[in-house]
Amino acid sequence: MRIEVDGRFTGKFVSEKDFTGIAPEVRKAVESLRAGTGKGSSMLGWLTLPRDYDREEFARIKAAADRIRKNCDIFVVIGIGGSYLGSRAVIEFLRSPRHNELDSGSPAIYFSGCNISGSDLDELLELCSRKDKDVSINVISKSGTTTETAVDFRCFRALLEKKYGKRRAKEHIFVTTDRVRGTLKKFADEAGYETFVVPDDVGGRYSVLSAVGLLPIAVSGIDIDKLMRGARAAMRELDTDPDDFMNNPAYYYAAVRNLLLRSGKSVEVFVGYEPFELMFSEWWKQLFGESEGKDGKGLYPASVNFTTDLHSLGQYIQDGQRTLFETVLEIVKPDSRAKIPNDPANIDGLNFLSGKMLTEVNRTAMKGTLLAHEDGGVPGIVLKLADRSELSLGYMIYFFELACAVSGYLLGVNPFDQPGVEAYKKNMFALLGKPGYEDLTDKLRSRL
Amino acid sequence: MRIEVDGRFTGKFVSEKDFTGIAPEVRKAVESLRAGTGKGSSMLGWLTLPRDYDREEFARIKAAADRIRKNCDIFVVIGIGGSYLGSRAVIEFLRSPRHNELDSGSPAIYFSGCNISGSDLDELLELCSRKDKDVSINVISKSGTTTETAVDFRCFRALLEKKYGKRRAKEHIFVTTDRVRGTLKKFADEAGYETFVVPDDVGGRYSVLSAVGLLPIAVSGIDIDKLMRGARAAMRELDTDPDDFMNNPAYYYAAVRNLLLRSGKSVEVFVGYEPFELMFSEWWKQLFGESEGKDGKGLYPASVNFTTDLHSLGQYIQDGQRTLFETVLEIVKPDSRAKIPNDPANIDGLNFLSGKMLTEVNRTAMKGTLLAHEDGGVPGIVLKLADRSELSLGYMIYFFELACAVSGYLLGVNPFDQPGVEAYKKNMFALLGKPGYEDLTDKLRSRL
């Protein structure tokens, strides 16, 4: 398996007995997930996606990505939530958070339509309107009516039609939306934009391995065949007898984090030791926060990047309120060969490290921190990922999706809906005077 | 005042009576801070820094920054924790998170020495070793022995000496360290590097308005005179009678967040609505997490960036465990003029927004969200910042430093130490076999 879970640093906080106690619940959760009898079971497409994905569309994604890589300097992804977090997380994890600044031979990739920031939009439009820049966009929205995404799509469509003229602009616009329904699909077909599908049975936060994530990922030059193969391996290897859940990393992770929640921990901190893991932890936060944060339940998903944040939130984690546990991502075979040079002057007193690989020192920092935090009353779950590769990342994505679904069922919620996301939209529309919201408008205005 | 605090959305959660109850504590906290009789009172230099800073050094900072801006394509800041978070937060807030990708006429600024990531170091060394790139570095370390920073300083010093030769390299190396003590100061003087001072009575997380933050900030082209003037205004305006704390934004913020903690909230979520606020929320997390997270106490400082994260953590905040409150940053006069274009096709049904400014829609999203979260049981403290300017940001930095000190005293901790940060370092050194740690080494190894 490309992921193993090391629970040693939770031993002082959850007991054999706890695991025996939760075993029947794990079986029930896994069975209802596999049988499709649990809550939200109409949204289980992700469960078999790595095997059953549409090969014809997959080929079109690769072809489109090749054209974009050949013809464009800038590629703008327009989407929010699940329509951008997954692809951005994968691109930064496998390429770099500095992808756009390194000569990677790929187009610069920007993410738009994921906020209502005028200054952010001003910058991107300025960058894209430069004469010497060829630009393509990929708008991603199931309905086509998501405010943030729709607003920026209006702006970038106008920019492209100004740059290339209406007729040629359509070769620069790629639309990922509903297969048949929705105004965006209809409009795209009429306008002659190439379209890709947001599957009906895959929720946004589970959609990174569909066209939603795959087109931007392929544009960055990442091998999406390998990514899917990794996920397929996870799909196969992680489908084991739930009674043996201690040996299934996904089931075990779901169980132990629920046991820690029941023991009084309320915040799960996702810990990375590499800057390229930062956006992946944002994807993880959406996956677990949106799947489990309902009915007054759920662990609050936070994240840190060490050792940076050991000089920031480290003090709190070591000595603050004892309501935390950590989930630590360890990359077993890191890809850097950088060594610490010797310094004859030894002004920093670090010559005992001369010649050591940074990756070794980084791993030692991780071990020392796990021990320190355990002593401080903070349990640590260690996820050991084989390496920084397409195969391993595809595997880890599926691992977390599966673990999250099982964990949500253990918690007793529907891990596949997000009713709470509507609340702010309704208020926003009412306050903006959207037709049909008049009653609410007055109620809200009176409270402001 | 350039900051006002709006507590309306906490009204359902804290009462008049609560404020009356905490009033004597606020007076005591403020008095011991002002009189220098509280815990950690040897570290109060930040309190008067905006007025009493060293003018001669300030002029040298501006002169050095001008030279660097003229002579360099890349400026690498080498520091960790308080030695990089402040300057990076200010640069992204006033310039842009994409500062390096926009033609700003400033050198690209990279932050190194803030992790032990080999892949991160590989990238930066590759970027800096390019023949056509002129590079200067600023290493920032009080002692000069901080592992992360010292390791990267070794690597970049070697790179510069290879690029320019030992003699010319010294014009590209700027050292911010202890005024007199420490091996780094001694070494820098011998090598002929220009040095700047990490003040003795200002802790790392309070040091952004010292040379620690000011040199990198000045290199980015930001007007540091205005930044200091803003902080000076805050220093003057926020020094009011503590009995009138309801009218002092800093004292009031300190009081209300402590009342919310006492009412059972354990996580404070810092909320921004602009991507350029992301790094500022990281600075805020260090300031409060490291100042208050001790003795088993303190609010866990988390952050989100809306509306992006309304499509991620929004569900949790609306409906999850009711242990949260939000501190929301509103910029009263935003700087963007971007408008929502009309779309005759109206495929997204958003023509009711045509012609509206994005900043107006963004603010309305903020109001709608505050109301939705209040209904969901999440109190919101709104900080109204006048605008996105040096003056306002300098003001806000001082506001938070003052509020944090008072808040820490209300909590009953020493807001100026960070004993917990040593724990991981000791373990790391022991596991790396640093001379002098032999006993601990065996103890730890046996646990792994």
Side-chain angles (χ1 to χ4, degrees):
Chain A
M1 294 189 183
R2 289 181 167 272
I3 282 198
E4 290 177 8
V5 182
D6 177 354
R8 267 180 308 158
F9 299 95
T10 63
K12 288 187 186 159
F13 308 87
V14 289
S15 67
E16 289 264 341
K17 213 165 130 296
D18 296 324
F19 284 108
T20 324
I22 204 171
E25 299 176 55
V26 174
R27 159 168 286 286
K28 194 160 154 298
V30 171
E31 281 176 350
S32 54
L33 176 69
R34 300 289 183 185
T37 55
K39 290 178 182 165
S41 56
S42 63
M43 301 304 285
L44 296 180
W46 57 272
L47 200 50
T48 50
L49 189 64
R51 183 192 63 207
D52 303 339
Y53 64 90
D54 178 341
R55 263 58 176 183
E56 178 276 331
E57 181 186 49
F58 194 81
R60 282 200 300 116
I61 289 170
K62 290 198 284 185
D66 288 343
R67 287 205 310 283
I68 293 163
R69 286 173 60 78
K70 230 182 264 97
N71 308 336
C72 290
D73 308 292
I74 296 177
F75 183 62
V76 182
V77 181
I78 307 175
I80 192 165
S83 298
Y84 96 98
L85 274 171
S87 58
R88 187 170 171 191
V90 169
I91 291 166
E92 294 200 4
F93 193 104
L94 293 175
R95 285 278 168 266
S96 163
R98 299 192 191 94
H99 173 265
N100 291 354
E101 292 167 76
L102 302 163
D103 288 340
S104 61
S106 309
I109 299 176
Y110 293 104
F111 294 87
S112 185
C114 47
N115 57 52
I116 317 178
S117 163
S119 54
D120 193 49
L121 184 61
D122 291 338
E123 279 180 11
L124 284 180
L125 290 173
E126 191 278 313
L127 279 165
C128 293
S129 56
R130 292 176 185 177
K131 294 247 167 312
D132 62 332
K133 297 294 180 190
D134 271 307
V135 180
S136 287
I137 67 173
N138 177 203
V139 59
I140 305 170
S141 175
K142 180 94 175 149
S143 65
T145 60
T146 307
T147 309
E148 291 86 344
T149 303
V151 165
D152 286 12
F153 182 43
R154 285 183 174 208
C155 297
F156 281 96
R157 219 167 73 237
L159 180 142
L160 290 176
E161 290 177 355
K162 184 151 170 282
K163 216 186 220 315
Y164 301 110
K166 218 172 165 64
R167 201 177 47 70
R168 283 188 49 234
K170 67 168 184 278
E171 291 148 34
H172 294 262
I173 300 175
F174 300 84
V175 176
T176 307
T177 186
D178 190 275
R179 185 184 307 275
V180 286
R181 290 179 308 272
T183 50
L184 182 54
K185 170 63 177 169
K186 188 161 163 299
F187 177 80
D189 289 342
E190 286 164 9
Y193 305 149
E194 179 161 15
T195 64
F196 301 94
V197 174
V198 180
D200 286 322
D201 56 357
V202 179
R205 59 190 177 273
Y206 292 84
S207 68
V208 56
L209 297 178
S210 75
V212 169
L214 291 174
L215 179 56
I217 291 167
V219 169
S220 78
I222 289 167
D223 184 333
I224 60 173
D225 284 291
K226 286 193 182 145
L227 196 68
M228 293 304 276
R229 207 179 315 141
R232 206 152 57 245
M235 177 184 160
R236 206 172 42 245
E237 294 176 10
L238 297 176
D239 184 4
T240 63
D241 177 355
D243 286 342
D244 189 28
F245 73 94
M246 296 296 280
N247 293 313
N248 181 312
Y251 300 165
Y252 174 76
Y253 174 57
V256 70
R257 60 193 297 282
N258 272 276
L259 289 173
L260 287 166
L261 170 63
R262 295 173 189 185
S263 80
K265 303 300 184 186
S266 56
V267 178
E268 177 175 9
V269 184
F270 187 90
V271 180
Y273 277 80
E274 295 283 352
F276 61 74
E277 295 162 351
L278 262 166
M279 276 311 297
F280 186 81
S281 52
E282 294 302 314
W283 174 84
W284 173 89
K285 278 149 86 171
Q286 183 195 16
L287 181 63
F288 282 88
E290 211 168 48
S291 299
E292 297 192 313
K294 50 198 71 162
D295 312 337
K297 299 179 178 175
L299 289 155
Y300 183 83
S303 65
V304 293
N305 199 260
F306 288 164
T307 59
T308 295
D309 291 334
L310 285 168
H311 296 251
S312 160
L313 287 167
Q315 168 64 41
Y316 189 102
I317 296 171
Q318 188 70 49
D319 286 339
Q321 257 196 95
R322 303 298 70 191
T323 52
L324 318 171
F325 73 88
E326 295 178 307
T327 293
V328 181
L329 181 58
E330 173 183 3
I331 295 182
V332 177
K333 215 187 294 120
D335 55 353
S336 167
R337 318 291 309 156
K339 289 204 167 97
I340 296 171
N342 187 54
D343 172 19
N346 196 28
I347 51 173
D348 48 28
L350 292 179
N351 273 357
F352 71 100
L353 295 178
S354 298
K356 276 208 162 69
M357 304 233 305
L358 265 84
T359 53
E360 182 192 343
V361 179
N362 205 21
R363 189 192 312 276
T364 309
M366 185 202 75
K367 291 178 181 167
T369 304
L370 280 161
L371 292 165
H373 290 178
E374 183 187 34
D375 294 338
V378 178
I381 304 168
V382 183
L383 306 179
K384 294 167 174 286
L385 183 68
D387 54 29
R388 183 190 185 188
S389 69
E390 281 93 342
L391 285 168
S392 292
L393 184 53
Y395 198 104
M396 181 161 65
I397 286 166
Y398 189 91
F399 160 84
F400 275 120
E401 290 175 348
L402 178 61
C404 184
V406 173
S407 183
Y409 281 159
L410 285 174
L411 188 63
V413 301
N414 176 353
F416 307 112
D417 68 354
Q418 51 284 332
V421 178
E422 295 313 306
Y424 97 90
K425 292 186 196 168
K426 260 180 46 221
N427 288 359
M428 176 175 75
F429 287 141
L431 291 169
L432 287 169
K434 186 174 185 178
Y437 289 79
E438 292 73 8
D439 302 2
L440 186 56
T441 308
D442 305 334
K443 268 204 219 71
L444 296 178
R445 290 234 171 99
S446 67
R447 288 172 60 188
L448 288 168
Chain B
M1 294 189 182
R2 290 181 167 272
I3 282 197
E4 290 178 8
V5 181
D6 177 354
R8 267 180 306 158
F9 299 96
T10 64
K12 288 188 186 157
F13 307 88
V14 289
S15 67
E16 289 262 343
K17 212 163 130 296
D18 297 324
F19 284 109
T20 323
I22 203 171
E25 299 176 55
V26 174
R27 160 169 285 285
K28 194 160 155 299
V30 172
E31 282 176 349
S32 53
L33 176 70
R34 300 290 183 185
T37 55
K39 291 178 182 164
S41 56
S42 63
M43 301 303 287
L44 295 180
W46 58 271
L47 199 51
T48 50
L49 189 64
R51 183 192 64 207
D52 303 339
Y53 64 90
D54 178 340
R55 263 59 177 183
E56 178 277 330
E57 180 186 51
F58 194 81
R60 281 199 302 116
I61 289 171
K62 289 198 283 185
D66 288 343
R67 287 204 310 283
I68 293 163
R69 286 173 60 77
K70 229 181 266 99
N71 307 336
C72 290
D73 309 292
I74 296 178
F75 182 63
V76 182
V77 181
I78 307 175
I80 193 165
S83 298
Y84 95 100
L85 273 171
S87 57
R88 186 169 172 192
V90 169
I91 291 166
E92 294 199 5
F93 193 102
L94 293 176
R95 287 275 169 267
S96 163
R98 299 193 190 92
H99 172 265
N100 291 353
E101 291 166 76
L102 302 163
D103 288 338
S104 61
S106 307
I109 299 177
Y110 293 104
F111 294 88
S112 184
C114 47
N115 57 51
I116 316 178
S117 164
S119 54
D120 193 50
L121 184 61
D122 291 339
E123 278 180 13
L124 285 179
L125 290 173
E126 192 279 312
L127 278 165
C128 293
S129 56
R130 293 176 184 174
K131 294 250 168 312
D132 62 331
K133 297 295 181 190
D134 270 307
V135 180
S136 286
I137 66 173
N138 177 203
V139 59
I140 306 170
S141 175
K142 180 96 176 145
S143 65
T145 61
T146 306
T147 309
E148 291 86 345
T149 303
V151 165
D152 286 12
F153 182 44
R154 285 184 174 208
C155 298
F156 280 97
R157 220 167 71 237
L159 181 142
L160 290 177
E161 291 178 355
K162 185 152 169 283
K163 215 186 221 311
Y164 301 110
K166 216 173 167 60
R167 202 177 46 71
R168 283 187 50 233
K170 66 168 184 280
E171 292 148 34
H172 295 263
I173 299 174
F174 300 84
V175 176
T176 307
T177 186
D178 191 275
R179 185 184 308 274
V180 286
R181 289 180 308 274
T183 50
L184 181 54
K185 170 62 177 168
K186 188 162 163 299
F187 177 80
D189 289 343
E190 285 163 8
Y193 305 148
E194 179 162 16
T195 64
F196 302 95
V197 174
V198 180
D200 285 323
D201 56 357
V202 178
R205 59 191 176 271
Y206 292 83
S207 68
V208 56
L209 298 177
S210 76
V212 170
L214 291 175
L215 179 57
I217 290 167
V219 168
S220 78
I222 289 166
D223 185 334
I224 60 174
D225 284 291
K226 285 192 182 148
L227 197 68
M228 294 304 276
R229 206 180 314 140
R232 206 151 56 244
M235 177 185 160
R236 205 172 44 245
E237 294 176 11
L238 298 175
D239 184 4
T240 63
D241 177 356
D243 286 342
D244 190 28
F245 73 95
M246 297 294 281
N247 294 313
N248 181 310
Y251 300 166
Y252 174 76
Y253 174 57
V256 70
R257 61 193 297 283
N258 272 276
L259 289 173
L260 287 165
L261 170 63
R262 296 174 188 183
S263 80
K265 302 300 184 186
S266 57
V267 178
E268 176 175 11
V269 185
F270 187 90
V271 180
Y273 277 81
E274 295 282 353
F276 62 74
E277 295 161 351
L278 261 166
M279 276 310 297
F280 186 81
S281 52
E282 293 301 314
W283 175 83
W284 174 90
K285 278 150 86 170
Q286 183 196 15
L287 180 63
F288 282 88
E290 210 168 50
S291 299
E292 297 192 314
K294 49 198 71 163
D295 311 338
K297 300 178 177 174
L299 289 155
Y300 183 82
S303 64
V304 293
N305 200 260
F306 288 165
T307 59
T308 295
D309 292 333
L310 285 168
H311 296 250
S312 158
L313 287 168
Q315 167 65 40
Y316 189 102
I317 296 171
Q318 187 70 49
D319 286 339
Q321 257 195 94
R322 303 299 70 191
T323 53
L324 318 171
F325 72 89
E326 295 179 308
T327 293
V328 181
L329 181 59
E330 173 182 4
I331 296 183
V332 178
K333 215 186 294 119
D335 55 354
S336 166
R337 319 291 307 156
K339 289 204 167 100
I340 296 172
N342 186 53
D343 171 18
N346 196 28
I347 50 172
D348 47 27
L350 292 179
N351 273 356
F352 72 100
L353 296 178
S354 299
K356 276 209 163 67
M357 304 233 302
L358 263 84
T359 53
E360 181 192 344
V361 178
N362 205 21
R363 188 192 313 276
T364 309
M366 185 201 75
K367 291 178 180 166
T369 304
L370 279 162
L371 292 166
H373 290 177
E374 183 186 36
D375 294 338
V378 178
I381 304 167
V382 183
L383 306 179
K384 295 168 175 283
L385 182 69
D387 53 29
R388 182 189 185 187
S389 69
E390 281 93 341
L391 286 169
S392 292
L393 184 54
Y395 198 105
M396 180 160 67
I397 286 166
Y398 190 90
F399 160 84
F400 275 121
E401 290 174 348
L402 178 61
C404 183
V406 174
S407 183
Y409 281 159
L410 285 174
L411 188 63
V413 299
N414 176 352
F416 307 112
D417 68 355
Q418 51 284 332
V421 179
E422 295 312 306
Y424 97 91
K425 292 187 198 169
K426 259 179 47 217
N427 287 359
M428 176 175 75
F429 288 141
L431 290 171
L432 287 169
K434 186 174 185 179
Y437 288 79
E438 291 73 8
D439 303 2
L440 186 55
T441 307
D442 305 333
K443 267 203 220 71
L444 296 178
R445 290 233 170 99
S446 68
R447 287 172 61 188
L448 289 169

